[in-house]
Amino acid sequence: MVLFAGVIMLVSGILEVFRGIMAIAEDDVFVTTPRYVFRFDLTSWGWIHLVIGALVALVGFFVIKGAAWARIIGIFLVSLGLIGNFLDLPYYPLWSVVIIALDVFVIWALAVYREE
């Protein structure tokens, strides 16, 4: 399960980097909600997703390699990504829900792992 979680981290991190680039370029894919409490500029959300996505992908690579420290850092970073996607729900709802579900699985897989 940890190998699968690492692969999911790597892939979702890369996809979040692409999502961040799309938001920085202010692509028309995103929805704008005028009365959203956590409203940021789309470029700000882009940079948040770009940085967190790059870090998640990098740590996902080390999870695949079997580094024990990467599982702990991975739980923290994926949790940040989950919170970011929750706050970003009004901008790209379907994708945010999918990534939140994957993040919950990754956190669970990294948390229950026991070395033999």
Side-chain angles (χ1 to χ4, degrees):
M1 283 190 316
V2 171
L3 178 62
F4 185 70
V7 171
I8 292 295
M9 286 175 68
L10 188 63
V11 171
S12 70
I14 292 169
L15 290 174
E16 285 297 308
V17 167
F18 290 148
R19 181 179 177 183
I21 291 169
M22 286 177 8
I24 291 168
E26 297 187 20
D27 200 350
D28 293 334
V29 174
F30 298 98
V31 178
T32 56
T33 306
R35 301 193 64 186
Y36 183 51
V37 175
F38 301 109
R39 185 166 186 223
F40 288 125
D41 180 44
L42 191 57
T43 304
S44 300
W45 277 120
W47 282 107
I48 290 169
H49 285 290
L50 183 74
V51 170
I52 291 176
L55 291 173
V56 167
L58 180 66
V59 172
F61 173 76
F62 285 106
V63 167
I64 292 170
K65 292 291 231 177
W69 61 267
R71 291 191 303 273
I72 296 165
I73 301 294
I75 291 171
F76 175 73
L77 287 176
V78 170
S79 298
L80 279 180
L82 188 144
I83 292 167
N85 277 296
F86 175 75
L87 295 175
D88 196 43
L89 267 169
Y91 296 100
Y92 207 16
L94 182 61
W95 183 252
S96 292
V97 169
V98 169
I99 293 299
I100 288 170
L102 286 174
D103 286 348
V104 167
F105 171 76
V106 168
I107 292 168
W108 176 76
L110 294 176
V112 300
Y113 177 75
R114 300 277 184 238
E115 289 191 46
E116 284 138 73

